[in-house]
Amino acid sequence: MSAANQLYQDVILDHNRKPRNFGKLAAASHQAEGLNPLCGDHIWVYLRLKDAQVDAIGFDGQSCAICKASASMMTHAVKGKSVTAAEELAQEFRDMALGRLDPESAEHHLGRLKVFAGVRDLPTRVKCAILPWHTLHAALNAVAQASTEGEDDPVPGSGVEQPGHA
Amino acid sequence: MNSRSAAPREPRADDLGLDVERIREDFPILRTRVNGKPLVFLDNAASSQMPQAVIARYVRYRTSEHANIHRGVHHLSEVATREYEAVRAKVRAWINAGEEREIIYTSGTTDSINLVAHGYGRKFIGAGDEIILTVLEHHSNIVPWQMVAEEKGAHIRVVPCNDAGELDIETYRSLFTERTRLVGVTHVSNALGTVNPIADMVAIAHAHGAPVLVDGAQAAPHLPVDVQALDCDFYAFSSHKLCGPTGAGILYGKARHLEAMQPFKGGGDMIRSVSFEKTTYAPIPHKFEAGTPPIAEVIGLGAALDYLSAIGIGSIGAHEDELLRYATDRVGAMAGVRLIGTARQKAAVLSFELDGIHPHDVGTLLNEEGVAVRTGHHCAQPVMQRFGVPATVRASFAFYNTLPEIDALVAAIRKVQKVFAG
């Protein structure tokens, strides 16, 4: 089975249709808006931090299935973690999606998130998977808005990718 | 239509007048396999493919004819200049312009529109003036006018469309005032495929003294274009949607407008004489062609027009209409599919969305089946907003596409739905 089919089989069935922690969080202490203008993905990540720990997390918005499933699994993975551990996981996820971290050989804390490893073979979709993590990072650092383009681009060197024409 | 077949033959299901199987042999890229499956290329509205004849012409120029044009007295410069200038006649014929000097070489449709915005707009549009555009425009026929409007303090009025994607001509008529200075309208919508009633719209604009710029990027490859019959003032299109190379395009303009316009780019090749006291410009078309142009690309466009002319735009359009009809019937009949853009007059574009499935997911999974479509906002975000979608899936056809390829699209859509149904 191809990378794309495998990825969709593994994550879509469950998390796209029944996303975990979907919805605005009451009494969020931190939140950020994430935007992928190329794809149209537009999400919000809400956090309630307590003693430098992720006490509660939620997300909502409109996005493709890869982004939604990534966000859903992210909320599941970081809930209860320390801010430092959440940031570390965000870094590992990004490295994996870009193909810099092979979850089969390197050490990591990704657990079930490694189903997203296949997205490295879909270069036009890498940003869809990374967007929730990029937005989480912005929320943790009290940045109101994150984008996958411009100065804020989480994928260095990808600024040459253009939305295409006509 | 198929003049090559003298003897009558049994009609086949895909007998549309063109010998498509033979035509497909002219396009080496169509033999590509994607993910182990034959490529089904349905992204022609973004860029069409090049036949071997165009590739060969391009290579011949690069191999044995290259030098800068309008410069040297040597052999190669003369050959390059002659071949480059000869394309103007072919372009003139393709759109039935009155004179070759009304054909300006540009780098593409976007460049052509920007040339009008700078050369005409900035000279003749002032504070309080109005520009009429339509909701169906590509960003390239919106943003240049916003830049002019912002600089000059002018205003933009927008023609709406109905739920089928057809422009509301009565509202269009009502938008004109004594301050209307220009109308910008696309001939064929790139996102929906709607063919707009250009001749009628031009007549209305002219009755109010306003010139009309037509974005012909999606029309020139599919419809017979007659700029004199349309009576439009400007007509812009690109080489790479016409089986030619990227980097070349055309602006047609009525000679009197072109003569009145300010040059946009200054430099070599656009002047008659230069001194520090006074520079005089070259006559049209060269007034607008500063610097060394994309010579090989223009010559490639000429070869593409030769190729398309030999097939005939009538046969091309008839085949594409049949493809569109078949695709509309088959895709439109699928459960969970919503067609976006159902105008009575359409050309070569089928835009749609699948229930509960984001277009980018559709695009990725169709690619797994070898089917290339465009997904996204198609650089036409106002159209997306009008139809309340972030993006659509767009299949766009060329004369080298076949009915079995549309069957492949339908089968691939079914597969996507199956993945999402679990």
Side-chain angles (χ1 to χ4, degrees):
Chain A
M1 189 179 286
S2 72
N5 276 323
Q6 189 69 54
L7 179 65
Y8 278 85
Q9 296 287 345
D10 289 345
V11 299
I12 298 312
L13 295 180
D14 190 13
H15 285 270
N16 183 56
R17 265 184 291 153
K18 289 180 300 198
R20 316 296 194 272
N21 304 303
F22 190 81
K24 193 171 171 149
L25 195 63
S29 61
H30 293 64
Q31 69 178 62
E33 178 184 13
L35 197 61
N36 176 351
L38 303 197
C39 185
D41 290 340
H42 193 184
I43 62 167
W44 283 263
V45 171
Y46 310 98
L47 294 171
R48 194 164 64 231
L49 301 185
K50 207 160 118 190
D51 303 330
Q53 282 214 324
V54 179
D55 186 45
I57 179 167
F59 81 101
D60 63 8
Q62 279 202 321
S63 66
C64 66
I66 291 178
C67 179
K68 197 190 234 180
S70 171
S72 172
M73 290 181 72
M74 175 186 82
T75 61
H76 191 72
V78 304
K79 198 191 264 187
K81 283 209 163 53
S82 70
V83 168
T84 315
E87 289 275 36
E88 189 180 12
L89 202 55
Q91 188 58 45
E92 286 179 2
F93 187 93
R94 182 196 317 220
D95 287 346
M96 173 180 70
L98 290 169
R100 293 178 193 147
L101 183 157
D102 180 356
E104 299 309 324
S105 57
E107 267 191 49
H108 61 80
H109 309 82
L110 291 160
R112 292 171 58 199
L113 291 166
K114 69 180 188 180
V115 295
F116 280 95
V119 83
R120 68 184 168 213
D121 297 324
L122 303 171
T124 56
R125 306 304 302 281
V126 166
K127 286 178 177 181
C128 305
I130 290 180
L131 180 66
W133 296 88
H134 194 43
T135 311
L136 169 69
H137 174 73
L140 287 170
N141 292 279
V143 177
Q145 198 184 56
S147 168
T148 57
E149 300 308 309
E151 289 178 4
D152 202 24
D153 192 335
V155 184
S158 70
V160 292
E161 283 173 31
Q162 294 298 321
H165 291 273
Chain B
M1 259 181 289
N2 192 340
S3 57
R4 299 182 318 104
S5 51
R9 55 196 172 115
E10 286 296 302
R12 295 170 306 166
D14 63 347
D15 190 346
L16 305 173
L18 287 185
D19 188 348
V20 177
E21 287 313 316
R22 198 199 57 72
I23 284 173
R24 288 178 68 83
E25 286 170 15
D26 295 338
F27 290 81
I29 206 165
L30 297 180
R31 296 195 280 271
T32 303
R33 294 180 76 82
V34 175
N35 293 315
K37 305 190 171 93
L39 167 69
V40 175
F41 189 76
L42 302 178
D43 192 21
N44 296 286
S47 201
S48 52
Q49 300 297 349
M50 262 189 228
Q52 187 59 44
V54 175
I55 298 167
R57 181 68 194 89
Y58 193 87
V59 170
R60 178 152 65 88
Y61 172 79
R62 289 288 185 213
T63 309
S64 59
E65 298 175 352
H66 174 66
N68 211 335
I69 53 163
H70 303 148
R71 305 285 201 283
V73 293
H74 55 80
H75 169 73
L76 284 179
S77 182
E78 281 173 8
V79 171
T81 303
R82 185 183 67 229
E83 295 299 317
Y84 173 82
E85 285 297 334
V87 175
R88 251 184 257 275
K90 299 174 198 224
V91 175
R92 188 208 63 72
W94 189 254
I95 59 171
N96 193 35
E99 303 177 60
E100 282 178 35
R101 67 191 181 114
E102 295 177 318
I103 304 299
I104 314 292
Y105 294 142
T106 66
S107 71
T109 306
T110 298
D111 193 33
S112 297
I113 295 172
N114 276 277
L115 171 51
V116 179
H118 284 266
Y120 187 91
R122 293 177 73 202
K123 185 166 177 183
F124 295 110
I125 296 172
D129 286 344
E130 294 169 355
I131 301 162
I132 295 178
L133 303 175
T134 88
V135 69
L136 298 181
E137 299 315 302
H138 186 283
H139 295 166
S140 63
N141 202 22
I142 299 174
V143 182
W145 301 111
Q146 288 175 324
M147 291 162 74
V148 170
E150 188 180 10
E151 179 187 323
K152 299 293 180 180
H155 307 288
I156 290 172
R157 302 277 175 260
V158 182
V159 185
C161 70
N162 63 17
D163 291 341
E166 296 164 327
L167 291 177
D168 176 350
I169 298 301
E170 283 320 300
T171 301
Y172 167 68
R173 203 187 292 275
S174 73
L175 290 178
F176 285 90
T177 72
E178 73 225 14
R179 304 307 301 264
T180 307
R181 292 289 171 270
L182 184 123
V183 174
V185 56
T186 187
H187 197 165
V188 172
S189 155
N190 75 303
L192 305 180
T194 310
V195 181
N196 291 320
I198 297 299
D200 295 345
M201 293 178 77
V202 170
I204 293 167
H206 285 178
H208 292 88
V212 179
L213 161 78
V214 180
D215 170 358
Q218 298 296 343
H222 305 297
L223 314 174
V225 174
D226 182 334
V227 292
Q228 294 185 85
L230 294 173
D231 198 25
C232 58
D233 299 273
F234 300 101
Y235 199 94
F237 59 102
S238 296
S239 155
H240 73 98
K241 296 188 203 288
L242 274 163
C243 301
T246 55
I250 298 297
L251 175 68
Y252 157 81
K254 285 180 178 169
R256 64 185 168 86
H257 292 314
L258 296 176
E259 279 166 349
M261 273 164 64
Q262 199 61 22
F264 171 26
K265 289 179 270 191
D269 227 26
M270 55 77 73
I271 49 83
R272 178 172 278 149
S273 70
V274 174
S275 74
F276 281 104
E277 288 68 44
K278 178 151 181 71
T279 289
T280 54
Y281 303 130
I284 62 169
H286 297 116
K287 179 169 94 173
F288 300 107
E289 296 177 356
T292 297
I295 305 165
E297 286 70 20
V298 166
I299 291 172
L301 167 62
L305 293 178
D306 287 345
Y307 179 85
L308 296 173
S309 301
I311 297 173
I313 190 70
S315 303
I316 287 171
H319 177 70
E320 290 166 347
D321 284 350
E322 186 61 30
L323 291 169
L324 179 61
R325 217 172 0 252
Y326 185 68
T328 304
D329 288 349
R330 289 223 53 198
V331 177
M334 297 179 80
V337 175
R338 176 190 170 210
L339 299 183
I340 297 178
T342 49
R344 281 157 293 182
Q345 299 291 322
K346 281 185 61 173
V349 167
L350 190 70
S351 237
F352 58 94
E353 61 167 0
L354 303 189
D355 267 357
I357 312 178
H358 192 282
H360 282 86
D361 296 317
V362 179
T364 294
L365 290 170
L366 289 183
N367 182 61
E368 292 303 302
E369 305 304 313
V371 178
V373 295
R374 172 81 192 277
T375 60
H377 53 60
H378 316 297
C379 297
Q381 287 181 339
V383 178
M384 301 297 112
Q385 287 152 16
R386 169 62 179 79
F387 287 88
V389 293
T392 73
V393 183
R394 181 188 69 184
S396 55
F397 311 114
F399 56 93
Y400 44 68
N401 288 128
T402 66
L403 297 183
E405 286 187 305
I406 289 166
D407 294 335
L409 168 68
V410 169
I413 292 172
R414 247 190 225 117
K415 255 189 162 157
V416 175
Q417 290 177 318
K418 218 170 130 197
V419 168
F420 272 77

